[in-house]
Amino acid sequence: MHPIFLTIGNIQSEVRMKATAHAWRCVAFIPIPKFDVHPDFQSLLHARLFHKCMDIIFANCKITTKTGAYMSDPMGYIWHCFTPLVAYMADLPKAQLVASVAKNASPLTLAMQKEFGASHTHSPRTGDHTLALIYDLCKRVDPWNVPLFQCEAKSLMLSSVHQPFWRDWKFADPCRILPANMLHTCHKFFGDHVLKWCKEVVGEKELDARFKAHHK
């Protein structure tokens, strides 16, 4: 089972990140079944199941984003609230799942995997762009003709999901709601790249000596 946690944006970050504050609420568990199909279609069906479950889980949030709902705060005051999807925290594979793109495509830009280290900025992969590709593909190929749909989707760098859960969630655009993952974009980037570059430039012994020379 895959748990889905939810929090609200008006909680201060230092409070939200404390486990004892209970600022995150587990709202659902998404099943992870093994489908009785060819292995080539397992990931496709898992992706479609994920988006369908998210559709069901957040159906009321989508409505409230458009029309609003009256809610009470801890002080008892009534507020007219809206529930847009502001951010979805995920690593790269999960971000690609959310954005409905292939594993060799960026979920945020139009860059391909071989272009991830390019020196120039790529155009954002907007939700409208992805939905337009899916819509055109669905007009040509039945989404439940799985082998053909999967083949055509791969040529467009799509994940074969024909109904992304964010398609009718107002303001929810993958290139905006998917923030950078701190573990992989900062910590692992430093360890896997910057630290190695420093070792190549000055040498491991010299780098250790300079760190040891720092005052505690």
Side-chain angles (χ1 to χ4, degrees), residues 78-126:
I78 302 298
W79 298 88
H80 192 207
C81 302
F82 297 83
T83 54
L85 179 58
V86 177
Y88 192 110
M89 298 176 62
D91 57 11
L92 179 59
K94 184 54 69 65
Q96 291 169 327
L97 171 63
V98 171
S100 303
V101 299
K103 293 181 180 180
N104 59 345
S106 167
L108 303 179
T109 72
L110 297 178
M112 306 306 299
Q113 188 173 29
K114 62 182 180 181
E115 301 171 319
F116 282 1
S119 58
H120 63 278
T121 302
H122 290 81
S123 300
R125 185 181 295 276
T126 64

mmCIF file of all heavy atoms in Angstrom, residues 78-126:
data_model
loop_
_atom_site.group_PDB
_atom_site.id
_atom_site.type_symbol
_atom_site.label_atom_id
_atom_site.label_comp_id
_atom_site.label_asym_id
_atom_site.label_seq_id
_atom_site.Cartn_x
_atom_site.Cartn_y
_atom_site.Cartn_z
ATOM 1 N N ILE A 78 -15.159 31.428 11.086
ATOM 2 C CA ILE A 78 -15.523 30.783 9.820
ATOM 3 C C ILE A 78 -14.846 31.522 8.666
ATOM 4 O O ILE A 78 -14.925 32.754 8.568
ATOM 5 C CB ILE A 78 -17.057 30.770 9.623
ATOM 6 C CG1 ILE A 78 -17.736 30.056 10.793
ATOM 7 C CG2 ILE A 78 -17.406 30.087 8.296
ATOM 8 C CD1 ILE A 78 -17.358 28.606 10.941
ATOM 9 N N TRP A 79 -14.201 30.757 7.787
ATOM 10 C CA TRP A 79 -13.503 31.329 6.640
ATOM 11 C C TRP A 79 -13.986 30.660 5.360
ATOM 12 O O TRP A 79 -14.333 29.489 5.351
ATOM 13 C CB TRP A 79 -11.993 31.121 6.770
ATOM 14 C CG TRP A 79 -11.388 31.778 7.966
ATOM 15 C CD1 TRP A 79 -11.264 31.255 9.225
ATOM 16 C CD2 TRP A 79 -10.835 33.083 8.022
ATOM 17 N NE1 TRP A 79 -10.658 32.149 10.066
ATOM 18 C CE2 TRP A 79 -10.383 33.291 9.354
ATOM 19 C CE3 TRP A 79 -10.662 34.113 7.095
ATOM 20 C CZ2 TRP A 79 -9.777 34.467 9.782
ATOM 21 C CZ3 TRP A 79 -10.058 35.293 7.514
ATOM 22 C CH2 TRP A 79 -9.629 35.462 8.840
ATOM 23 N N HIS A 80 -13.973 31.451 4.282
ATOM 24 C CA HIS A 80 -14.288 30.909 2.952
ATOM 25 C C HIS A 80 -12.965 30.463 2.339
ATOM 26 O O HIS A 80 -12.142 31.288 1.935
ATOM 27 C CB HIS A 80 -14.965 31.973 2.083
ATOM 28 C CG HIS A 80 -15.562 31.415 0.835
ATOM 29 N ND1 HIS A 80 -15.728 32.152 -0.319
ATOM 30 C CD2 HIS A 80 -16.054 30.176 0.543
ATOM 31 C CE1 HIS A 80 -16.289 31.415 -1.252
ATOM 32 N NE2 HIS A 80 -16.491 30.216 -0.753
ATOM 33 N N CYS A 81 -12.759 29.157 2.272
ATOM 34 C CA CYS A 81 -11.448 28.598 1.902
ATOM 35 C C CYS A 81 -11.479 27.943 0.523
ATOM 36 O O CYS A 81 -12.518 27.464 0.062
ATOM 37 C CB CYS A 81 -11.010 27.569 2.939
ATOM 38 S SG CYS A 81 -10.906 28.216 4.621
ATOM 39 N N PHE A 82 -10.303 27.914 -0.089
ATOM 40 C CA PHE A 82 -10.107 27.247 -1.369
ATOM 41 C C PHE A 82 -8.942 26.267 -1.222
ATOM 42 O O PHE A 82 -8.045 26.473 -0.403
ATOM 43 C CB PHE A 82 -9.820 28.262 -2.477
ATOM 44 C CG PHE A 82 -10.962 29.213 -2.732
ATOM 45 C CD1 PHE A 82 -11.137 30.340 -1.938
ATOM 46 C CD2 PHE A 82 -11.879 28.960 -3.741
ATOM 47 C CE1 PHE A 82 -12.193 31.210 -2.154
ATOM 48 C CE2 PHE A 82 -12.941 29.829 -3.968
ATOM 49 C CZ PHE A 82 -13.096 30.944 -3.164
ATOM 50 N N THR A 83 -8.945 25.203 -2.006
ATOM 51 C CA THR A 83 -7.959 24.131 -1.826
ATOM 52 C C THR A 83 -7.199 23.809 -3.121
ATOM 53 O O THR A 83 -7.304 22.706 -3.664
ATOM 54 C CB THR A 83 -8.645 22.860 -1.313
ATOM 55 O OG1 THR A 83 -9.726 22.521 -2.210
ATOM 56 C CG2 THR A 83 -9.204 23.062 0.084
ATOM 57 N N PRO A 84 -6.414 24.765 -3.628
ATOM 58 C CA PRO A 84 -5.580 24.434 -4.796
ATOM 59 C C PRO A 84 -4.427 23.522 -4.388
ATOM 60 O O PRO A 84 -3.998 23.511 -3.229
ATOM 61 C CB PRO A 84 -5.068 25.808 -5.247
ATOM 62 C CG PRO A 84 -5.029 26.611 -3.985
ATOM 63 C CD PRO A 84 -6.216 26.151 -3.172
ATOM 64 N N LEU A 85 -3.943 22.751 -5.328
ATOM 65 C CA LEU A 85 -2.769 21.912 -5.091
ATOM 66 C C LEU A 85 -1.539 22.792 -5.285
ATOM 67 O O LEU A 85 -1.201 23.171 -6.410
ATOM 68 C CB LEU A 85 -2.745 20.727 -6.061
ATOM 69 C CG LEU A 85 -1.546 19.781 -5.943
ATOM 70 C CD1 LEU A 85 -1.440 19.199 -4.545
ATOM 71 C CD2 LEU A 85 -1.647 18.667 -6.977
ATOM 72 N N VAL A 86 -0.876 23.121 -4.195
ATOM 73 C CA VAL A 86 0.242 24.066 -4.240
ATOM 74 C C VAL A 86 1.560 23.355 -4.540
ATOM 75 O O VAL A 86 2.395 23.866 -5.287
ATOM 76 C CB VAL A 86 0.335 24.842 -2.911
ATOM 77 C CG1 VAL A 86 1.537 25.773 -2.915
ATOM 78 C CG2 VAL A 86 -0.941 25.625 -2.663
ATOM 79 N N ALA A 87 1.775 22.191 -3.945
ATOM 80 C CA ALA A 87 3.029 21.474 -4.154
ATOM 81 C C ALA A 87 2.808 19.985 -3.968
ATOM 82 O O ALA A 87 1.966 19.566 -3.169
ATOM 83 C CB ALA A 87 4.102 21.975 -3.183
ATOM 84 N N TYR A 88 3.587 19.203 -4.707
ATOM 85 C CA TYR A 88 3.581 17.751 -4.565
ATOM 86 C C TYR A 88 5.033 17.333 -4.398
ATOM 87 O O TYR A 88 5.827 17.417 -5.335
ATOM 88 C CB TYR A 88 2.963 17.084 -5.792
ATOM 89 C CG TYR A 88 2.649 15.609 -5.605
ATOM 90 C CD1 TYR A 88 1.337 15.161 -5.535
ATOM 91 C CD2 TYR A 88 3.669 14.660 -5.492
ATOM 92 C CE1 TYR A 88 1.043 13.816 -5.354
ATOM 93 C CE2 TYR A 88 3.387 13.325 -5.303
ATOM 94 C CZ TYR A 88 2.073 12.909 -5.237
ATOM 95 O OH TYR A 88 1.800 11.571 -5.043
ATOM 96 N N MET A 89 5.393 16.898 -3.206
ATOM 97 C CA MET A 89 6.780 16.533 -2.913
ATOM 98 C C MET A 89 7.052 15.106 -3.389
ATOM 99 O O MET A 89 6.371 14.170 -2.978
ATOM 100 C CB MET A 89 7.052 16.666 -1.414
ATOM 101 C CG MET A 89 6.879 18.086 -0.886
ATOM 102 S SD MET A 89 7.084 18.206 0.904
ATOM 103 C CE MET A 89 8.786 17.677 1.085
ATOM 104 N N ALA A 90 8.047 14.955 -4.250
ATOM 105 C CA ALA A 90 8.328 13.640 -4.825
ATOM 106 C C ALA A 90 9.746 13.591 -5.359
ATOM 107 O O ALA A 90 10.332 14.626 -5.709
ATOM 108 C CB ALA A 90 7.339 13.345 -5.953
ATOM 109 N N ASP A 91 10.315 12.375 -5.409
ATOM 110 C CA ASP A 91 11.594 12.203 -6.078
ATOM 111 C C ASP A 91 11.351 12.149 -7.579
ATOM 112 O O ASP A 91 10.212 12.275 -8.043
ATOM 113 C CB ASP A 91 12.310 10.953 -5.572
ATOM 114 C CG ASP A 91 11.465 9.688 -5.748
ATOM 115 O OD1 ASP A 91 10.430 9.749 -6.442
ATOM 116 O OD2 ASP A 91 11.836 8.638 -5.185
ATOM 117 N N LEU A 92 12.413 11.972 -8.352
ATOM 118 C CA LEU A 92 12.283 12.044 -9.809
ATOM 119 C C LEU A 92 11.322 11.005 -10.384
ATOM 120 O O LEU A 92 10.442 11.358 -11.178
ATOM 121 C CB LEU A 92 13.660 11.927 -10.476
ATOM 122 C CG LEU A 92 13.665 11.965 -12.009
ATOM 123 C CD1 LEU A 92 13.055 13.266 -12.523
ATOM 124 C CD2 LEU A 92 15.075 11.780 -12.550
ATOM 125 N N PRO A 93 11.423 9.708 -10.029
ATOM 126 C CA PRO A 93 10.480 8.733 -10.600
ATOM 127 C C PRO A 93 9.023 9.053 -10.274
ATOM 128 O O PRO A 93 8.145 8.934 -11.128
ATOM 129 C CB PRO A 93 10.914 7.403 -9.968
ATOM 130 C CG PRO A 93 12.339 7.600 -9.611
ATOM 131 C CD PRO A 93 12.448 9.029 -9.197
ATOM 132 N N LYS A 94 8.755 9.478 -9.021
ATOM 133 C CA LYS A 94 7.377 9.806 -8.654
ATOM 134 C C LYS A 94 6.931 11.093 -9.346
ATOM 135 O O LYS A 94 5.762 11.230 -9.735
ATOM 136 C CB LYS A 94 7.261 9.931 -7.136
ATOM 137 C CG LYS A 94 5.843 10.179 -6.622
ATOM 138 C CD LYS A 94 4.849 9.151 -7.121
ATOM 139 C CE LYS A 94 5.090 7.786 -6.530
ATOM 140 N NZ LYS A 94 4.880 7.713 -5.085
ATOM 141 N N ALA A 95 7.843 12.054 -9.515
ATOM 142 C CA ALA A 95 7.504 13.288 -10.223
ATOM 143 C C ALA A 95 7.132 12.989 -11.674
ATOM 144 O O ALA A 95 6.209 13.590 -12.235
ATOM 145 C CB ALA A 95 8.665 14.280 -10.169
ATOM 146 N N GLN A 96 7.860 12.057 -12.304
ATOM 147 C CA GLN A 96 7.524 11.660 -13.677
ATOM 148 C C GLN A 96 6.168 10.975 -13.724
ATOM 149 O O GLN A 96 5.408 11.147 -14.674
ATOM 150 C CB GLN A 96 8.621 10.746 -14.224
ATOM 151 C CG GLN A 96 9.935 11.460 -14.470
ATOM 152 C CD GLN A 96 11.083 10.508 -14.756
ATOM 153 O OE1 GLN A 96 11.136 9.402 -14.226
ATOM 154 N NE2 GLN A 96 12.022 10.936 -15.597
ATOM 155 N N LEU A 97 5.854 10.192 -12.674
ATOM 156 C CA LEU A 97 4.545 9.552 -12.588
ATOM 157 C C LEU A 97 3.448 10.606 -12.487
ATOM 158 O O LEU A 97 2.429 10.517 -13.176
ATOM 159 C CB LEU A 97 4.501 8.623 -11.378
ATOM 160 C CG LEU A 97 3.139 8.025 -11.004
ATOM 161 C CD1 LEU A 97 2.616 7.130 -12.115
ATOM 162 C CD2 LEU A 97 3.235 7.250 -9.691
ATOM 163 N N VAL A 98 3.641 11.606 -11.635
ATOM 164 C CA VAL A 98 2.641 12.665 -11.460
ATOM 165 C C VAL A 98 2.473 13.472 -12.742
ATOM 166 O O VAL A 98 1.354 13.787 -13.154
ATOM 167 C CB VAL A 98 3.040 13.585 -10.290
ATOM 168 C CG1 VAL A 98 2.137 14.807 -10.234
ATOM 169 C CG2 VAL A 98 2.977 12.828 -8.973
ATOM 170 N N ALA A 99 3.584 13.811 -13.384
ATOM 171 C CA ALA A 99 3.530 14.628 -14.589
ATOM 172 C C ALA A 99 3.085 13.851 -15.822
ATOM 173 O O ALA A 99 2.855 14.439 -16.876
ATOM 174 C CB ALA A 99 4.898 15.249 -14.861
ATOM 175 N N SER A 100 2.986 12.517 -15.705
ATOM 176 C CA SER A 100 2.553 11.646 -16.805
ATOM 177 C C SER A 100 3.516 11.677 -17.983
ATOM 178 O O SER A 100 3.107 11.711 -19.143
ATOM 179 C CB SER A 100 1.137 12.037 -17.272
ATOM 180 O OG SER A 100 0.223 11.982 -16.203
ATOM 181 N N VAL A 101 4.803 11.666 -17.671
ATOM 182 C CA VAL A 101 5.817 11.655 -18.720
ATOM 183 C C VAL A 101 6.643 10.376 -18.623
ATOM 184 O O VAL A 101 6.632 9.688 -17.602
ATOM 185 C CB VAL A 101 6.742 12.890 -18.644
ATOM 186 C CG1 VAL A 101 5.935 14.160 -18.809
ATOM 187 C CG2 VAL A 101 7.517 12.914 -17.334
ATOM 188 N N ALA A 102 7.380 10.083 -19.686
ATOM 189 C CA ALA A 102 8.210 8.881 -19.737
ATOM 190 C C ALA A 102 9.407 9.011 -18.802
ATOM 191 O O ALA A 102 9.743 10.100 -18.335
ATOM 192 C CB ALA A 102 8.672 8.640 -21.170
ATOM 193 N N LYS A 103 10.076 7.892 -18.544
ATOM 194 C CA LYS A 103 11.173 7.860 -17.587
ATOM 195 C C LYS A 103 12.425 8.571 -18.091
ATOM 196 O O LYS A 103 13.323 8.858 -17.301
ATOM 197 C CB LYS A 103 11.509 6.411 -17.227
ATOM 198 C CG LYS A 103 10.407 5.704 -16.458
ATOM 199 C CD LYS A 103 10.789 4.291 -16.106
ATOM 200 C CE LYS A 103 9.673 3.591 -15.322
ATOM 201 N NZ LYS A 103 10.025 2.195 -14.973
ATOM 202 N N ASN A 104 12.512 8.833 -19.393
ATOM 203 C CA ASN A 104 13.680 9.532 -19.925
ATOM 204 C C ASN A 104 13.366 10.988 -20.250
ATOM 205 O O ASN A 104 14.079 11.621 -21.026
ATOM 206 C CB ASN A 104 14.219 8.814 -21.162
ATOM 207 C CG ASN A 104 13.170 8.715 -22.262
ATOM 208 O OD1 ASN A 104 11.987 8.926 -22.032
ATOM 209 N ND2 ASN A 104 13.615 8.394 -23.470
ATOM 210 N N ALA A 105 12.286 11.518 -19.655
ATOM 211 C CA ALA A 105 11.902 12.910 -19.885
ATOM 212 C C ALA A 105 11.831 13.655 -18.560
ATOM 213 O O ALA A 105 11.537 13.066 -17.514
ATOM 214 C CB ALA A 105 10.551 12.986 -20.595
ATOM 215 N N SER A 106 12.105 14.930 -18.598
ATOM 216 C CA SER A 106 12.006 15.754 -17.399
ATOM 217 C C SER A 106 10.539 16.042 -17.094
ATOM 218 O O SER A 106 9.774 16.365 -18.006
ATOM 219 C CB SER A 106 12.754 17.074 -17.599
ATOM 220 O OG SER A 106 12.417 18.002 -16.581
ATOM 221 N N PRO A 107 10.124 15.951 -15.836
ATOM 222 C CA PRO A 107 8.739 16.281 -15.492
ATOM 223 C C PRO A 107 8.481 17.781 -15.446
ATOM 224 O O PRO A 107 7.331 18.209 -15.407
ATOM 225 C CB PRO A 107 8.568 15.661 -14.100
ATOM 226 C CG PRO A 107 9.939 15.685 -13.517
ATOM 227 C CD PRO A 107 10.882 15.459 -14.668
ATOM 228 N N LEU A 108 9.539 18.574 -15.459
ATOM 229 C CA LEU A 108 9.393 20.027 -15.319
ATOM 230 C C LEU A 108 9.638 20.798 -16.604
ATOM 231 O O LEU A 108 9.060 21.860 -16.808
ATOM 232 C CB LEU A 108 10.350 20.552 -14.237
ATOM 233 C CG LEU A 108 10.212 19.925 -12.849
ATOM 234 C CD1 LEU A 108 11.234 20.535 -11.901
ATOM 235 C CD2 LEU A 108 8.806 20.136 -12.307
ATOM 236 N N THR A 109 10.507 20.282 -17.453
ATOM 237 C CA THR A 109 10.840 20.974 -18.699
ATOM 238 C C THR A 109 10.725 20.003 -19.873
ATOM 239 O O THR A 109 10.491 18.810 -19.697
ATOM 240 C CB THR A 109 12.270 21.544 -18.653
ATOM 241 O OG1 THR A 109 13.214 20.460 -18.736
ATOM 242 C CG2 THR A 109 12.500 22.337 -17.371
ATOM 243 N N LEU A 110 10.937 20.524 -21.066
ATOM 244 C CA LEU A 110 10.881 19.695 -22.268
ATOM 245 C C LEU A 110 12.207 18.989 -22.547
ATOM 246 O O LEU A 110 12.374 18.392 -23.614
ATOM 247 C CB LEU A 110 10.485 20.553 -23.468
ATOM 248 C CG LEU A 110 9.095 21.195 -23.406
ATOM 249 C CD1 LEU A 110 8.840 22.064 -24.627
ATOM 250 C CD2 LEU A 110 8.006 20.130 -23.280
ATOM 251 N N ALA A 111 13.117 19.035 -21.600
ATOM 252 C CA ALA A 111 14.420 18.387 -21.770
ATOM 253 C C ALA A 111 14.280 16.874 -21.685
ATOM 254 O O ALA A 111 13.460 16.350 -20.934
ATOM 255 C CB ALA A 111 15.396 18.877 -20.707
ATOM 256 N N MET A 112 15.127 16.179 -22.464
ATOM 257 C CA MET A 112 15.218 14.738 -22.386
ATOM 258 C C MET A 112 16.379 14.374 -21.475
ATOM 259 O O MET A 112 17.182 15.216 -21.100
ATOM 260 C CB MET A 112 15.437 14.144 -23.789
ATOM 261 C CG MET A 112 14.395 14.593 -24.805
ATOM 262 S SD MET A 112 12.725 14.269 -24.236
ATOM 263 C CE MET A 112 12.793 12.502 -24.064
ATOM 264 N N GLN A 113 16.473 13.089 -21.115
ATOM 265 C CA GLN A 113 17.486 12.655 -20.168
ATOM 266 C C GLN A 113 18.891 13.020 -20.630
ATOM 267 O O GLN A 113 19.716 13.456 -19.828
ATOM 268 C CB GLN A 113 17.378 11.151 -19.943
ATOM 269 C CG GLN A 113 18.265 10.631 -18.817
ATOM 270 C CD GLN A 113 18.017 9.172 -18.516
ATOM 271 O OE1 GLN A 113 17.629 8.416 -19.377
ATOM 272 N NE2 GLN A 113 18.236 8.775 -17.276
ATOM 273 N N LYS A 114 19.173 12.866 -21.906
ATOM 274 C CA LYS A 114 20.506 13.174 -22.420
ATOM 275 C C LYS A 114 20.792 14.667 -22.412
ATOM 276 O O LYS A 114 21.947 15.084 -22.586
ATOM 277 C CB LYS A 114 20.654 12.626 -23.843
ATOM 278 C CG LYS A 114 19.677 13.227 -24.851
ATOM 279 C CD LYS A 114 19.841 12.606 -26.221
ATOM 280 C CE LYS A 114 18.859 13.203 -27.237
ATOM 281 N NZ LYS A 114 18.995 12.583 -28.562
ATOM 282 N N GLU A 115 19.753 15.486 -22.187
ATOM 283 C CA GLU A 115 19.919 16.940 -22.167
ATOM 284 C C GLU A 115 19.861 17.515 -20.745
ATOM 285 O O GLU A 115 19.878 18.737 -20.583
ATOM 286 C CB GLU A 115 18.821 17.598 -23.014
ATOM 287 C CG GLU A 115 18.802 17.165 -24.457
ATOM 288 C CD GLU A 115 17.574 17.660 -25.218
ATOM 289 O OE1 GLU A 115 16.471 17.631 -24.636
ATOM 290 O OE2 GLU A 115 17.734 18.074 -26.379
ATOM 291 N N PHE A 116 19.799 16.646 -19.727
ATOM 292 C CA PHE A 116 19.670 17.131 -18.349
ATOM 293 C C PHE A 116 20.849 18.005 -17.926
ATOM 294 O O PHE A 116 20.706 18.868 -17.088
ATOM 295 C CB PHE A 116 19.536 15.955 -17.380
ATOM 296 C CG PHE A 116 18.158 15.349 -17.370
ATOM 297 C CD1 PHE A 116 17.157 15.823 -18.189
ATOM 298 C CD2 PHE A 116 17.864 14.285 -16.528
ATOM 299 C CE1 PHE A 116 15.889 15.263 -18.183
ATOM 300 C CE2 PHE A 116 16.596 13.718 -16.498
ATOM 301 C CZ PHE A 116 15.608 14.205 -17.334
ATOM 302 N N GLY A 117 22.012 17.789 -18.492
ATOM 303 C CA GLY A 117 23.177 18.590 -18.121
ATOM 304 C C GLY A 117 23.464 19.733 -19.070
ATOM 305 O O GLY A 117 24.550 20.323 -19.029
ATOM 306 N N ALA A 118 22.507 20.072 -19.924
ATOM 307 C CA ALA A 118 22.720 21.130 -20.910
ATOM 308 C C ALA A 118 22.912 22.483 -20.230
ATOM 309 O O ALA A 118 22.387 22.737 -19.142
ATOM 310 C CB ALA A 118 21.536 21.196 -21.875
ATOM 311 N N SER A 119 23.665 23.359 -20.881
ATOM 312 C CA SER A 119 23.973 24.668 -20.295
ATOM 313 C C SER A 119 22.854 25.680 -20.491
ATOM 314 O O SER A 119 22.828 26.707 -19.827
ATOM 315 C CB SER A 119 25.264 25.219 -20.919
ATOM 316 O OG SER A 119 25.118 25.333 -22.331
ATOM 317 N N HIS A 120 21.921 25.405 -21.398
ATOM 318 C CA HIS A 120 20.834 26.357 -21.653
ATOM 319 C C HIS A 120 19.544 25.889 -20.984
ATOM 320 O O HIS A 120 19.393 24.724 -20.630
ATOM 321 C CB HIS A 120 20.601 26.516 -23.162
ATOM 322 C CG HIS A 120 20.166 25.255 -23.835
ATOM 323 N ND1 HIS A 120 21.054 24.272 -24.231
ATOM 324 C CD2 HIS A 120 18.925 24.794 -24.183
ATOM 325 C CE1 HIS A 120 20.403 23.268 -24.787
ATOM 326 N NE2 HIS A 120 19.104 23.556 -24.768
ATOM 327 N N THR A 121 18.635 26.823 -20.792
ATOM 328 C CA THR A 121 17.366 26.534 -20.131
ATOM 329 C C THR A 121 16.344 26.022 -21.134
ATOM 330 O O THR A 121 16.175 26.608 -22.204
ATOM 331 C CB THR A 121 16.813 27.804 -19.450
ATOM 332 O OG1 THR A 121 17.787 28.283 -18.520
ATOM 333 C CG2 THR A 121 15.515 27.502 -18.708
ATOM 334 N N HIS A 122 15.663 24.951 -20.792
ATOM 335 C CA HIS A 122 14.621 24.404 -21.653
ATOM 336 C C HIS A 122 13.265 25.000 -21.280
ATOM 337 O O HIS A 122 13.062 25.451 -20.148
ATOM 338 C CB HIS A 122 14.560 22.875 -21.531
ATOM 339 C CG HIS A 122 15.739 22.183 -22.134
ATOM 340 N ND1 HIS A 122 16.950 22.057 -21.473
ATOM 341 C CD2 HIS A 122 15.903 21.577 -23.338
ATOM 342 C CE1 HIS A 122 17.799 21.407 -22.247
ATOM 343 N NE2 HIS A 122 17.196 21.093 -23.373
ATOM 344 N N SER A 123 12.349 24.970 -22.208
ATOM 345 C CA SER A 123 11.008 25.488 -21.965
ATOM 346 C C SER A 123 10.292 24.605 -20.950
ATOM 347 O O SER A 123 10.544 23.399 -20.876
ATOM 348 C CB SER A 123 10.197 25.513 -23.270
ATOM 349 O OG SER A 123 10.829 26.341 -24.226
ATOM 350 N N PRO A 124 9.410 25.179 -20.133
ATOM 351 C CA PRO A 124 8.698 24.369 -19.133
ATOM 352 C C PRO A 124 7.734 23.391 -19.790
ATOM 353 O O PRO A 124 7.146 23.674 -20.833
ATOM 354 C CB PRO A 124 7.944 25.413 -18.301
ATOM 355 C CG PRO A 124 7.810 26.597 -19.204
ATOM 356 C CD PRO A 124 9.044 26.608 -20.054
ATOM 357 N N ARG A 125 7.582 22.229 -19.161
ATOM 358 C CA ARG A 125 6.626 21.230 -19.636
ATOM 359 C C ARG A 125 5.297 21.524 -18.926
ATOM 360 O O ARG A 125 5.004 20.987 -17.860
ATOM 361 C CB ARG A 125 7.105 19.812 -19.321
ATOM 362 C CG ARG A 125 6.202 18.718 -19.897
ATOM 363 C CD ARG A 125 6.722 17.340 -19.519
ATOM 364 N NE ARG A 125 8.009 17.054 -20.101
ATOM 365 C CZ ARG A 125 8.179 16.583 -21.345
ATOM 366 N NH1 ARG A 125 7.121 16.353 -22.112
ATOM 367 N NH2 ARG A 125 9.387 16.348 -21.814
ATOM 368 N N THR A 126 4.510 22.388 -19.504
ATOM 369 C CA THR A 126 3.267 22.809 -18.863
ATOM 370 C C THR A 126 2.215 21.706 -18.916
ATOM 371 O O THR A 126 2.273 20.811 -19.766
ATOM 372 C CB THR A 126 2.708 24.074 -19.530
ATOM 373 O OG1 THR A 126 2.354 23.758 -20.894
ATOM 374 C CG2 THR A 126 3.731 25.201 -19.528
#
